[in-house]
Amino acid sequence: FNDKIIPKIDTFAPDLIMISAGFDAHKDDKLANLKFEENDYEFMTEQIVDIANKHCNGKIVSVLEGGYNLESLRNCVVTHVKALCA
């Protein structure tokens, strides 16, 4: 993420960042096999917030789009929103 995604966003220097916030890559969600945990989503969100603060005055739109294990979805959404607001 830090080696490929963040540098490309930084180079692009967006006026607005839109996040399709899917949490189905969580380790407790059976849809994907990426095995992310809440702290992974928190880290990615923090990195995106940093880029948004640098290039577009913190302008971010985040839309919930996936996550099918309700407990992990709840935890991930709370973590994501806290990171957006930090």
Side-chain angles (χ1 to χ4, degrees):
F1 188 79
N2 269 356
D3 294 336
K4 294 184 180 184
I5 304 299
I6 293 299
K8 288 182 181 184
I9 297 171
D10 196 26
T11 299
F12 182 71
D15 294 325
L16 169 73
I17 295 177
M18 299 183 73
I19 302 171
S20 180
F23 300 103
D24 49 13
H26 190 274
K27 66 181 177 76
D28 294 334
D29 200 305
K30 303 298 182 208
L31 187 63
N33 292 315
L34 294 174
K35 308 297 184 203
F36 287 175
E37 297 182 13
E38 286 85 355
N39 62 330
D40 297 313
Y41 290 108
E42 179 181 33
F43 173 78
M44 290 186 284
T45 304
E46 289 170 345
Q47 300 309 303
I48 292 170
V49 167
D50 288 346
I51 291 290
N53 288 335
K54 179 178 178 182
H55 292 293
C56 54
N57 291 328
K59 292 184 276 187
I60 298 174
V61 175
S62 181
V63 180
L64 179 62
E65 64 89 6
Y68 304 96
N69 177 298
L70 296 182
E71 184 176 342
S72 64
L73 177 62
R74 178 192 67 224
N75 295 337
C76 289
V77 168
V78 168
T79 299
H80 177 66
V81 170
K82 284 181 179 180
L84 287 171
C85 295

